[in-house]
Amino acid sequence: MQIEFYKYQGTGNDFVMIDNRQAIFPKENIQLIAHLCDRRFGIGGDGLILLENDPETDFKMVYYNSDGNPSSMCGNGGRCLVAFAKKLNVIDDNATFIATDGLHHASVADNGIVSLQMINVDEVKITPDYVFMNTGSPHHIQLVEDLENYNVKENGASIRYGELYGKQGSNINFVKKIDETTFSLRTYERGVEDETLACGTGATAVAIAMNVLGETKANSIDLNVEGGKLVVSFDKKDGQFTNVFLKGPAEFVFKGTIEI
Ligand SMILES: N[C@@H](CCC[C@H](N)C(=O)O)C(=O)O
């Protein structure tokens, strides 16, 4: 069977996109998904995303990590899927869609920047060494010295597989403060089991964590990721974070056809 795919990237977090509105894709085939995401033997990507029909919203997002397993929310993937939906004429400039963590609203600006509303955050674990929260996916956040030379893969894997997070694991973010409203981060992604060039739910978690820790008083925060720049904004009241938005580029790279 031949399947048409599209490749998208958002600040270097890259995804294989498939229009599955006709339910043609063999979703249970973990090996196939991992193969399609493989950078040498397949198309290559940090994940694979299916765009599916949903009776109540514009579309449904079905997300798989590059290891082939379905996972929790992907912020950059969600932004790329909105750009993909626009390309397919499923939406115009505004979208409402359903993902594993619930309903999302998004918009595409004239310059192609996609703004995606993320889930509200009302539970943040603060310890002297790290912060943990769920922004649609689980995130460990830790400030480090010398972020540029930090071994993200080795240290990320040791925390992800360590006693803190058990079998489920977590994504691990290492952070450096640049100025009052800007932070740099590097992320080890669960399910990719490596550093990726960006992570949207990770950038969201870092922005909220830096506010909670008092590293910034801002509610619109610039995040430097390895593949570009993201902006996260939110409202904060009584320890609750609402109207959380993740904003940044989401670009079409190429399309093709694969025989599966
Ligand atoms: N790249 C993503 C996060 C994808 C999910 C993550 N790997 C997990 O399994 O928790 C993002 O942009 O948020």
Side-chain angles (χ1 to χ4, degrees):
M1 174 175 52
Q2 289 212 322
I3 288 202
E4 189 175 61
F5 71 86
Y6 291 69
K7 176 84 188 278
Y8 272 76
Q9 62 87 14
T11 52
N13 209 187
D14 60 341
F15 309 97
V16 176
M17 301 283 186
I18 293 173
D19 176 3
N20 197 34
R21 284 175 295 169
Q22 304 297 326
I24 33 112
F25 190 78
K27 292 160 72 157
E28 310 314 322
N29 193 337
I30 293 173
Q31 285 84 0
L32 172 67
I33 297 167
H35 169 72
L36 297 178
C37 290
D38 190 293
R39 298 194 183 281
R40 291 192 174 83
F41 295 99
I43 302 159
D46 295 325
L48 181 143
I49 305 175
L50 303 176
L51 184 145
E52 298 194 341
N53 289 318
D54 180 66
E56 277 150 29
T57 65
D58 293 320
F59 55 88
K60 179 179 180 184
M61 171 178 180
V62 181
Y63 176 75
Y64 302 85
N65 278 321
S66 62
D67 65 3
N69 291 301
S71 195
S72 42
M73 181 57 183
C74 176
N76 286 328
R79 295 188 313 93
C80 287
L81 191 63
V82 169
F84 181 43
K86 183 172 159 83
K87 191 174 181 70
L88 296 178
N89 291 318
V90 171
I91 58 156
D92 190 7
D93 290 334
N94 294 292
T96 299
F97 69 93
I98 192 86
T100 52
D101 61 344
L103 197 65
H104 288 266
H105 299 287
S107 59
V108 187
D110 290 346
N111 59 3
I113 295 291
V114 178
S115 176
L116 172 65
Q117 185 166 20
M118 308 297 285
I119 58 165
N120 294 343
V121 175
D122 51 19
E123 238 188 282
V124 180
K125 178 181 176 187
I126 306 164
T127 79
D129 299 326
Y130 67 89
V131 173
F132 176 81
M133 77 185 75
N134 192 311
T135 52
S137 281
H139 282 279
H140 172 110
I141 303 109
Q142 186 172 313
L143 283 152
V144 294
E145 303 288 334
D146 198 15
L147 181 67
E148 293 78 10
N149 297 306
Y150 200 74
N151 192 333
V152 170
K153 184 166 182 181
E154 201 176 292
N155 291 303
S158 105
I159 299 169
R160 182 257 197 265
Y161 288 106
E163 60 197 19
L164 274 181
Y165 299 114
K167 198 164 172 247
Q168 215 193 332
S170 176
N171 300 285
I172 314 294
N173 303 273
F174 300 105
V175 187
K176 176 185 169 185
K177 182 171 180 171
I178 304 300
D179 62 35
E180 197 37 45
T181 57
T182 313
F183 295 84
S184 293
L185 68 134
R186 293 174 63 193
T187 305
Y188 176 95
E189 264 195 59
R190 173 182 78 160
V192 180
E193 305 313 335
D194 206 344
E195 180 178 8
T196 55
L197 294 184
C199 177
T201 47
T204 304
V206 166
I208 291 174
M210 293 304 113
N211 183 287
V212 167
L213 290 178
E215 294 289 338
T216 178
K217 289 189 176 59
N219 67 346
S220 177
I221 296 168
D222 297 327
L223 285 318
N224 301 327
V225 295
E226 293 295 291
K229 288 178 189 303
L230 292 164
V231 179
V232 172
S233 58
F234 48 76
D235 292 334
K236 181 185 180 185
K237 197 176 168 208
D238 302 330
Q240 295 217 332
F241 293 83
T242 57
N243 292 318
V244 182
F245 282 90
L246 169 70
K247 214 161 113 174
E251 289 163 5
F252 167 70
V253 186
F254 61 88
K255 64 184 268 193
T257 306
I258 34 156
E259 187 80 38
I260 61 168

